[in-house]
Amino acid sequence: MSDNDEQLEKLPVMVPNREVFEITRMGLPLNLNDNLLCGLVIVLAIALQIRLSNTFLAEGLIAFGGFVGYLTMRYWILTRRYPEPGDLVIEDGLLSVPPSVNGGIATSFELSNCLVKMYYHKGKSGDLPSSIIFRLGAKVVKVNSLSIDLGKLEKALTARSVFIQKDYWSMGVYALALMIIGSLAVLLYLALTGDLG
């Protein structure tokens, strides 16, 4: 290895003073009323699917259409709520968060003072980042992986010596809990209607 190559390896990597991360619309948060409105599309599609269970439409096409309708409704509401999603910007040790990510309020965090926690989904192909939380006192902002490239953001924060707490979760545990709650709800319904045994 030549002396020039060794000198190039010893040079510190310069972190850019300003980095911009584009926010995508589909992962932005909606309030409770908007989420209920979007979920109502799926509920109506499933109810229609059950009602037409003895017809040729009983193969799940209506439920699938409901899911597509849910995504379409969510995107339509997001375009009305956030015409410009904005960008997440790191500049001079300050993280600037656009209003679209924080319930309509623009905010900023000093990276040296805030607590950063990243959640990872454990999977067979490796750990995938699912969301990141910035907390400074009472200010808390959560950004999910559909809104931003979390891998790129993590590298930018690590390059600035920001400590990131890591927390792991498994979707299987949540799916199992949801199945148990659903089963209990069905059993309770059957018990109340007298159809149970």
Side-chain angles (χ1 to χ4, degrees):
M1 187 181 275
S2 67
D3 291 337
N4 288 337
D5 291 338
E6 288 179 9
Q7 287 176 352
L8 287 174
E9 285 181 9
K10 291 179 183 177
L11 289 174
V13 176
M14 297 300 293
V15 178
N17 185 41
R18 176 182 167 91
E19 284 192 70
V20 178
F21 302 90
E22 182 182 0
I23 302 289
T24 56
R25 186 174 279 119
M26 204 57 186
L28 293 175
L30 288 174
N31 61 30
L32 180 62
N33 289 338
D34 291 337
N35 279 323
L36 288 174
L37 185 64
C38 292
L40 192 60
V41 175
I42 291 180
V43 171
L44 291 173
I46 291 173
L48 188 60
Q49 181 75 56
I50 292 169
R51 180 72 177 105
L52 299 174
S53 61
N54 295 325
T55 67
F56 71 96
L57 296 170
E59 299 298 323
L61 294 174
I62 297 174
F64 177 73
F67 178 70
V68 172
Y70 165 80
L71 293 177
T72 305
M73 175 73 85
R74 181 174 174 82
Y75 187 78
W76 180 78
I77 291 175
L78 284 168
T79 56
R80 299 300 177 271
R81 299 285 183 268
Y82 311 113
E84 291 294 327
D87 297 320
L88 193 120
V89 180
I90 299 177
E91 186 173 17
D92 295 328
L94 197 68
L95 175 77
S96 300
V97 180
S100 60
V101 175
N102 192 32
I105 302 167
T107 188
S108 59
F109 295 90
E110 286 186 32
L111 289 173
S112 58
N113 295 333
C114 75
L115 174 73
V116 181
K117 191 171 189 180
M118 186 171 280
Y119 292 89
Y120 293 85
H121 169 64
K122 282 184 170 271
K124 291 181 180 177
S125 60
D127 300 334
L128 300 171
S130 60
S131 63
I132 190 167
I133 292 178
F134 298 94
R135 176 173 287 142
L136 181 61
K139 289 196 301 186
V140 178
V141 171
K142 180 178 180 181
V143 184
N144 66 38
S145 60
L146 292 175
S147 298
I148 199 168
D149 184 354
L150 289 180
K152 185 180 172 187
L153 180 60
E154 181 182 16
K155 288 177 185 174
L157 293 172
T158 305
R160 288 167 173 78
S161 302
V162 176
F163 176 70
I164 302 173
Q165 291 182 0
K166 297 183 178 181
D167 198 355
Y168 296 89
W169 65 283
S170 177
M171 190 176 289
V173 174
Y174 291 96
L176 180 63
L178 190 62
M179 286 173 48
I180 291 171
I181 291 170
S183 300
L184 291 174
V186 168
L187 287 173
L188 180 65
Y189 173 76
L190 292 174
L192 291 175
T193 58
D195 293 337
L196 189 63

